[in-house]
PDB file of all heavy atoms in Angstrom:
ATOM      1  N   MET A   3     -38.464 -33.555  61.154  1.00 52.00           N
ATOM      2  CA  MET A   3     -39.837 -34.023  61.371  1.00 52.00           C
ATOM      3  C   MET A   3     -39.838 -35.030  62.516  1.00 52.00           C
ATOM      4  O   MET A   3     -39.049 -35.950  62.544  1.00 52.00           O
ATOM      5  CB  MET A   3     -40.399 -34.631  60.099  1.00 52.00           C
ATOM      6  CG  MET A   3     -41.865 -34.980  60.188  1.00 52.00           C
ATOM      7  SD  MET A   3     -42.528 -35.567  58.611  1.00 52.00           S
ATOM      8  CE  MET A   3     -42.550 -34.073  57.653  1.00 52.00           C
ATOM      9  N   GLU A   4     -40.717 -34.837  63.485  1.00 55.00           N
ATOM     10  CA  GLU A   4     -40.802 -35.687  64.668  1.00 55.00           C
ATOM     11  C   GLU A   4     -41.929 -36.679  64.451  1.00 55.00           C
ATOM     12  O   GLU A   4     -43.108 -36.365  64.601  1.00 55.00           O
ATOM     13  CB  GLU A   4     -41.080 -34.801  65.883  1.00 55.00           C
ATOM     14  CG  GLU A   4     -41.052 -35.527  67.204  1.00 55.00           C
ATOM     15  CD  GLU A   4     -41.386 -34.580  68.334  1.00 55.00           C
ATOM     16  OE1 GLU A   4     -40.473 -33.910  68.835  1.00 55.00           O
ATOM     17  OE2 GLU A   4     -42.567 -34.496  68.696  1.00 55.00           O
ATOM     18  N   GLY A   5     -41.582 -37.922  64.063  1.00 55.00           N
ATOM     19  CA  GLY A   5     -42.618 -38.858  63.658  1.00 55.00           C
ATOM     20  C   GLY A   5     -43.283 -38.328  62.402  1.00 55.00           C
ATOM     21  O   GLY A   5     -42.631 -38.087  61.399  1.00 55.00           O
ATOM     22  N   ASN A   6     -44.595 -38.148  62.469  1.00 74.00           N
ATOM     23  CA  ASN A   6     -45.321 -37.543  61.356  1.00 74.00           C
ATOM     24  C   ASN A   6     -45.612 -36.074  61.603  1.00 74.00           C
ATOM     25  O   ASN A   6     -46.340 -35.450  60.828  1.00 74.00           O
ATOM     26  CB  ASN A   6     -46.647 -38.297  61.107  1.00 74.00           C
ATOM     27  CG  ASN A   6     -46.404 -39.655  60.479  1.00 74.00           C
ATOM     28  OD1 ASN A   6     -45.474 -39.805  59.698  1.00 74.00           O
ATOM     29  ND2 ASN A   6     -47.222 -40.625  60.832  1.00 74.00           N
ATOM     30  N   ARG A   7     -45.091 -35.536  62.677  1.00 87.00           N
ATOM     31  CA  ARG A   7     -45.358 -34.130  63.013  1.00 87.00           C
ATOM     32  C   ARG A   7     -44.242 -33.253  62.467  1.00 87.00           C
ATOM     33  O   ARG A   7     -43.062 -33.505  62.696  1.00 87.00           O
ATOM     34  CB  ARG A   7     -45.475 -33.926  64.529  1.00 87.00           C
ATOM     35  CG  ARG A   7     -46.648 -34.645  65.165  1.00 87.00           C
ATOM     36  CD  ARG A   7     -46.729 -34.306  66.635  1.00 87.00           C
ATOM     37  NE  ARG A   7     -47.276 -32.980  66.846  1.00 87.00           N
ATOM     38  CZ  ARG A   7     -47.113 -32.276  67.972  1.00 87.00           C
ATOM     39  NH1 ARG A   7     -46.366 -32.749  68.951  1.00 87.00           N
ATOM     40  NH2 ARG A   7     -47.669 -31.097  68.093  1.00 87.00           N
ATOM     41  N   SER A   8     -44.640 -32.219  61.766  1.00 94.00           N
ATOM     42  CA  SER A   8     -43.671 -31.251  61.260  1.00 94.00           C
ATOM     43  C   SER A   8     -43.417 -30.189  62.326  1.00 94.00           C
ATOM     44  O   SER A   8     -44.312 -29.825  63.088  1.00 94.00           O
ATOM     45  CB  SER A   8     -44.208 -30.581  59.994  1.00 94.00           C
ATOM     46  OG  SER A   8     -44.421 -31.529  58.978  1.00 94.00           O
ATOM     47  N   ASN A  32     -50.777 -32.198  63.137  1.00 88.00           N
ATOM     48  CA  ASN A  32     -49.506 -32.682  62.585  1.00 88.00           C
ATOM     49  C   ASN A  32     -48.426 -31.621  62.555  1.00 88.00           C
ATOM     50  O   ASN A  32     -47.390 -31.816  61.941  1.00 88.00           O
ATOM     51  CB  ASN A  32     -49.716 -33.225  61.163  1.00 88.00           C
ATOM     52  CG  ASN A  32     -50.461 -34.551  61.177  1.00 88.00           C
ATOM     53  OD1 ASN A  32     -50.351 -35.316  62.138  1.00 88.00           O
ATOM     54  ND2 ASN A  32     -51.218 -34.801  60.129  1.00 88.00           N
ATOM     55  N   ASP A 274     -38.726 -27.855  60.059  1.00 97.00           N
ATOM     56  CA  ASP A 274     -39.176 -28.191  58.711  1.00 97.00           C
ATOM     57  C   ASP A 274     -39.560 -26.934  57.942  1.00 97.00           C
ATOM     58  O   ASP A 274     -39.503 -26.907  56.712  1.00 97.00           O
ATOM     59  CB  ASP A 274     -40.363 -29.140  58.781  1.00 97.00           C
ATOM     60  CG  ASP A 274     -40.004 -30.448  59.460  1.00 97.00           C
ATOM     61  OD1 ASP A 274     -39.299 -31.243  58.818  1.00 97.00           O
ATOM     62  OD2 ASP A 274     -40.406 -30.655  60.617  1.00 97.00           O
ATOM     63  N   LEU A 463     -48.078 -24.152  55.578  1.00 96.00           N
ATOM     64  CA  LEU A 463     -48.906 -25.357  55.627  1.00 96.00           C
ATOM     65  C   LEU A 463     -49.011 -26.014  54.254  1.00 96.00           C
ATOM     66  O   LEU A 463     -49.004 -27.241  54.140  1.00 96.00           O
ATOM     67  CB  LEU A 463     -50.295 -25.015  56.173  1.00 96.00           C
ATOM     68  CG  LEU A 463     -50.343 -24.643  57.666  1.00 96.00           C
ATOM     69  CD1 LEU A 463     -51.729 -24.130  58.040  1.00 96.00           C
ATOM     70  CD2 LEU A 463     -49.962 -25.839  58.543  1.00 96.00           C
ATOM     71  N   ASP A 464     -49.110 -25.200  53.205  1.00 95.00           N
ATOM     72  CA  ASP A 464     -49.141 -25.740  51.847  1.00 95.00           C
ATOM     73  C   ASP A 464     -47.849 -26.492  51.531  1.00 95.00           C
ATOM     74  O   ASP A 464     -47.867 -27.583  50.937  1.00 95.00           O
ATOM     75  CB  ASP A 464     -49.351 -24.624  50.822  1.00 95.00           C
ATOM     76  CG  ASP A 464     -50.783 -24.125  50.789  1.00 95.00           C
ATOM     77  OD1 ASP A 464     -51.663 -24.783  51.370  1.00 95.00           O
ATOM     78  OD2 ASP A 464     -51.019 -23.050  50.201  1.00 95.00           O
ATOM     79  N   HIS A 465     -46.738 -25.901  51.942  1.00 95.00           N
ATOM     80  CA  HIS A 465     -45.440 -26.550  51.713  1.00 95.00           C
ATOM     81  C   HIS A 465     -45.361 -27.879  52.450  1.00 95.00           C
ATOM     82  O   HIS A 465     -44.939 -28.902  51.878  1.00 95.00           O
ATOM     83  CB  HIS A 465     -44.317 -25.625  52.171  1.00 95.00           C
ATOM     84  CG  HIS A 465     -43.001 -26.325  52.351  1.00 95.00           C
ATOM     85  ND1 HIS A 465     -42.247 -26.780  51.293  1.00 95.00           N
ATOM     86  CD2 HIS A 465     -42.322 -26.683  53.489  1.00 95.00           C
ATOM     87  CE1 HIS A 465     -41.157 -27.374  51.750  1.00 95.00           C
ATOM     88  NE2 HIS A 465     -41.180 -27.321  53.077  1.00 95.00           N
ATOM     89  N   LEU A 466     -45.779 -27.888  53.719  1.00 94.00           N
ATOM     90  CA  LEU A 466     -45.704 -29.122  54.513  1.00 94.00           C
ATOM     91  C   LEU A 466     -46.635 -30.192  53.955  1.00 94.00           C
ATOM     92  O   LEU A 466     -46.283 -31.381  53.917  1.00 94.00           O
ATOM     93  CB  LEU A 466     -46.061 -28.818  55.962  1.00 94.00           C
ATOM     94  CG  LEU A 466     -45.094 -27.883  56.709  1.00 94.00           C
ATOM     95  CD1 LEU A 466     -45.612 -27.587  58.109  1.00 94.00           C
ATOM     96  CD2 LEU A 466     -43.689 -28.468  56.772  1.00 94.00           C
ATOM     97  N   ALA A 467     -47.807 -29.773  53.506  1.00 91.00           N
ATOM     98  CA  ALA A 467     -48.752 -30.737  52.938  1.00 91.00           C
ATOM     99  C   ALA A 467     -48.221 -31.363  51.666  1.00 91.00           C
ATOM    100  O   ALA A 467     -48.328 -32.586  51.447  1.00 91.00           O
ATOM    101  CB  ALA A 467     -50.098 -30.050  52.678  1.00 91.00           C
ATOM    102  N   SER A 468     -47.615 -30.515  50.810  1.00 88.00           N
ATOM    103  CA  SER A 468     -47.081 -31.051  49.563  1.00 88.00           C
ATOM    104  C   SER A 468     -45.905 -31.975  49.826  1.00 88.00           C
ATOM    105  O   SER A 468     -45.732 -32.998  49.143  1.00 88.00           O
ATOM    106  CB  SER A 468     -46.663 -29.898  48.629  1.00 88.00           C
ATOM    107  OG  SER A 468     -45.599 -29.152  49.206  1.00 88.00           O
ATOM    108  N   ARG A 469     -45.103 -31.644  50.826  1.00 83.00           N
ATOM    109  CA  ARG A 469     -43.964 -32.508  51.156  1.00 83.00           C
ATOM    110  C   ARG A 469     -44.442 -33.845  51.726  1.00 83.00           C
ATOM    111  O   ARG A 469     -43.901 -34.898  51.397  1.00 83.00           O
ATOM    112  CB  ARG A 469     -43.040 -31.799  52.154  1.00 83.00           C
ATOM    113  CG  ARG A 469     -41.676 -32.436  52.251  1.00 83.00           C
ATOM    114  CD  ARG A 469     -40.723 -31.612  53.056  1.00 83.00           C
ATOM    115  NE  ARG A 469     -41.017 -31.720  54.481  1.00 83.00           N
ATOM    116  CZ  ARG A 469     -40.142 -31.392  55.436  1.00 83.00           C
ATOM    117  NH1 ARG A 469     -38.951 -30.903  55.085  1.00 83.00           N
ATOM    118  NH2 ARG A 469     -40.446 -31.501  56.688  1.00 83.00           N
ATOM    119  N   GLN A 470     -45.463 -33.744  52.596  1.00 77.00           N
ATOM    120  CA  GLN A 470     -46.019 -34.976  53.181  1.00 77.00           C
ATOM    121  C   GLN A 470     -46.628 -35.858  52.105  1.00 77.00           C
ATOM    122  O   GLN A 470     -46.446 -37.073  52.103  1.00 77.00           O
ATOM    123  CB  GLN A 470     -47.096 -34.596  54.217  1.00 77.00           C
ATOM    124  CG  GLN A 470     -47.604 -35.760  55.041  1.00 77.00           C
ATOM    125  CD  GLN A 470     -46.662 -36.135  56.153  1.00 77.00           C
ATOM    126  OE1 GLN A 470     -45.653 -35.466  56.378  1.00 77.00           O
ATOM    127  NE2 GLN A 470     -46.957 -37.220  56.841  1.00 77.00           N
ATOM    128  N   SER A 471     -47.318 -35.207  51.150  1.00 74.00           N
ATOM    129  CA  SER A 471     -47.937 -35.957  50.068  1.00 74.00           C
ATOM    130  C   SER A 471     -46.874 -36.630  49.212  1.00 74.00           C
ATOM    131  O   SER A 471     -46.992 -37.811  48.821  1.00 74.00           O
ATOM    132  CB  SER A 471     -48.781 -35.028  49.209  1.00 74.00           C
ATOM    133  OG  SER A 471     -49.264 -35.679  48.066  1.00 74.00           O
ATOM    134  N   GLY A 472     -45.787 -35.902  48.968  1.00 65.00           N
ATOM    135  CA  GLY A 472     -44.708 -36.459  48.148  1.00 65.00           C
ATOM    136  C   GLY A 472     -44.035 -37.635  48.826  1.00 65.00           C
ATOM    137  O   GLY A 472     -43.730 -38.650  48.180  1.00 65.00           O
ATOM    138  N   SER A 473     -43.849 -37.528  50.149  1.00 52.00           N
ATOM    139  CA  SER A 473     -43.172 -38.611  50.850  1.00 52.00           C
ATOM    140  C   SER A 473     -44.071 -39.843  50.944  1.00 52.00           C
ATOM    141  O   SER A 473     -43.600 -40.973  50.880  1.00 52.00           O
ATOM    142  CB  SER A 473     -42.771 -38.166  52.269  1.00 52.00           C
ATOM    143  OG  SER A 473     -43.914 -37.826  53.018  1.00 52.00           O
ATOM    144  N   SER A 474     -45.387 -39.619  51.079  1.00 37.00           N
ATOM    145  CA  SER A 474     -46.293 -40.767  51.184  1.00 37.00           C
ATOM    146  C   SER A 474     -46.380 -41.502  49.841  1.00 37.00           C
ATOM    147  O   SER A 474     -46.493 -42.718  49.795  1.00 37.00           O
ATOM    148  CB  SER A 474     -47.691 -40.317  51.625  1.00 37.00           C
ATOM    149  OG  SER A 474     -48.259 -39.452  50.667  1.00 37.00           O
ATOM    150  N   VAL A 475     -46.335 -40.718  48.751  1.00 33.00           N
ATOM    151  CA  VAL A 475     -46.349 -41.341  47.436  1.00 33.00           C
ATOM    152  C   VAL A 475     -45.083 -42.147  47.215  1.00 33.00           C
ATOM    153  O   VAL A 475     -45.097 -43.254  46.664  1.00 33.00           O
ATOM    154  CB  VAL A 475     -46.511 -40.261  46.321  1.00 33.00           C
ATOM    155  CG1 VAL A 475     -46.294 -40.874  44.952  1.00 33.00           C
ATOM    156  CG2 VAL A 475     -47.864 -39.615  46.413  1.00 33.00           C
ATOM    157  N   ALA A 476     -43.941 -41.570  47.676  1.00 29.00           N
ATOM    158  CA  ALA A 476     -42.687 -42.261  47.519  1.00 29.00           C
ATOM    159  C   ALA A 476     -42.664 -43.539  48.343  1.00 29.00           C
ATOM    160  O   ALA A 476     -42.077 -44.521  47.957  1.00 29.00           O
ATOM    161  CB  ALA A 476     -41.535 -41.356  47.933  1.00 29.00           C
TER     162      ALA A 476
END
Side-chain angles (χ1 to χ4, degrees):
M3 187 175 289
E4 186 182 274
N6 288 326
R7 296 184 76 200
S8 299
N32 288 330
D274 298 287
L463 290 172
D464 285 347
H465 163 72
L466 295 176
S468 64
R469 196 171 75 162
Q470 189 79 5
S471 173
S473 61
S474 62
V475 170

